[in-house]
Amino acid sequence: MAYILVLYYSRHGATADMARHIARGVGEIADMEARLRTVPPVSTVCEATADSVPPSGAPYAELDDLRHCAGLALGSPTRFGNMAAPLKYFLEQTSSLWLSGALAGKPAGVFTSTSSLHGGQETTLISMMLPLLHHGMLLLGLPYAETDLFHTTAGGTPYGPSHLAGTNSDLPLTEAERRLCQALGRRLAQTAATLKAGQARNQA
Ligand SMILES: Cc1cc2nc3c(=O)[nH]c(=O)nc-3n(C[C@H](O)[C@H](O)[C@H](O)COP(=O)(O)O)c2cc1C
């Protein structure tokens, strides 16, 4: 079955929680499923090699997960207003996909979690968009038809879903944040399905 890759890094669980809600939204669209994948942490000890399977949670992503996806949701906690190094490290191993144009024309969206409300949600979202634009992906945000964008007092931006996790990283997702995560999942899956149907018609 065609799948949307929900690829994220999360140290304290907030971004992982968002990923699960995005996956729920994907699952609402017929003939589309979500594939949840994460990336290993990076270490300053170059000789250290992470186990190939994480101790818990989603498996680590392989390049083929990315190569064969119908669409991508990419998520990272904010790190000084930017995406986290482990996700950037993974993306910097995707040159072969860039050379072959494997991701060009596929829909993509981004999501993030921060400890403070004005601590860089939008900049982090945009930092994740840049490499996806180089790959030729079609970026989707959230339209204001998702009326939670007007009323949220926590996360939620037109550039993609976001979450305010608080200084102790322990605030749960608000209802509005959850709905916006699911909306991105639905939107990605619906767009991927429409593009796929169009390609099938063109080939017929
Ligand atoms: C090195 C580092 C840098 C961070 N930079 C920011 C920041 O610029 N703005 C912010 O609001 N939170 C910042 N945080 C907090 C995380 O973004 C926040 O706790 C996030 O919700 C963690 O997501 P997770 O639970 O998925 O790991 C930083 C955390 C670390 C460890």
Side-chain angles (χ1 to χ4, degrees):
M1 200 191 311
Y3 63 90
I4 302 296
L5 180 63
V6 185
L7 175 62
Y8 65 92
Y9 176 69
S10 181
R11 184 150 162 212
H12 300 291
T15 315
D17 203 18
M18 296 181 79
R20 285 188 286 273
H21 285 283
I22 289 168
R24 241 172 248 177
V26 170
E28 289 175 31
I29 303 302
D31 301 326
M32 276 285 162
E33 64 182 19
R35 184 177 293 186
L36 280 164
R37 291 290 183 273
T38 188
V39 294
V42 288
S43 164
T44 49
V45 182
C46 300
E47 292 77 14
T49 309
D51 288 340
S52 57
V53 179
S56 61
Y60 291 137
E62 295 178 5
L63 278 191
D64 273 351
D65 293 316
L66 204 47
R67 190 189 318 276
H68 300 301
C69 71
L72 171 70
L74 190 67
S76 170
T78 287
R79 293 281 164 93
F80 302 122
N82 209 318
M83 81 174 99
L87 196 65
K88 191 158 185 287
Y89 183 70
F90 179 82
L91 290 173
E92 287 179 14
Q93 296 167 66
T94 62
S95 300
S96 60
L97 303 185
W98 171 73
L99 277 170
S100 65
L103 302 179
K106 295 180 182 183
V110 292
F111 58 103
T112 192
S113 173
T114 61
S115 63
S116 57
L117 188 52
H118 302 290
Q121 294 188 347
E122 282 95 339
T123 54
T124 304
L125 294 170
I126 289 169
S127 77
M128 286 186 282
M129 289 181 187
L130 299 179
L132 304 185
L133 285 168
H134 279 250
H135 274 288
M137 301 196 86
L138 308 175
L139 282 162
L140 299 181
L142 289 169
Y144 275 85
E146 299 296 339
T147 52
D148 284 309
L149 288 182
F150 284 110
H151 308 297
T152 178
T153 53
T157 85
Y159 311 100
S162 57
H163 168 54
L164 173 64
T167 41
N168 293 326
S169 283
D170 58 357
L171 296 178
L173 294 186
T174 65
E175 282 302 317
E177 289 174 337
R178 278 181 207 179
R179 281 193 293 267
L180 291 168
C181 286
Q182 288 177 25
L184 180 70
R186 270 196 308 276
R187 197 154 195 245
L188 279 170
Q190 185 61 67
T191 304
T194 305
L195 287 170
K196 221 167 157 274
Q199 279 157 8
R201 262 198 312 276
N202 287 343
Q203 280 161 9

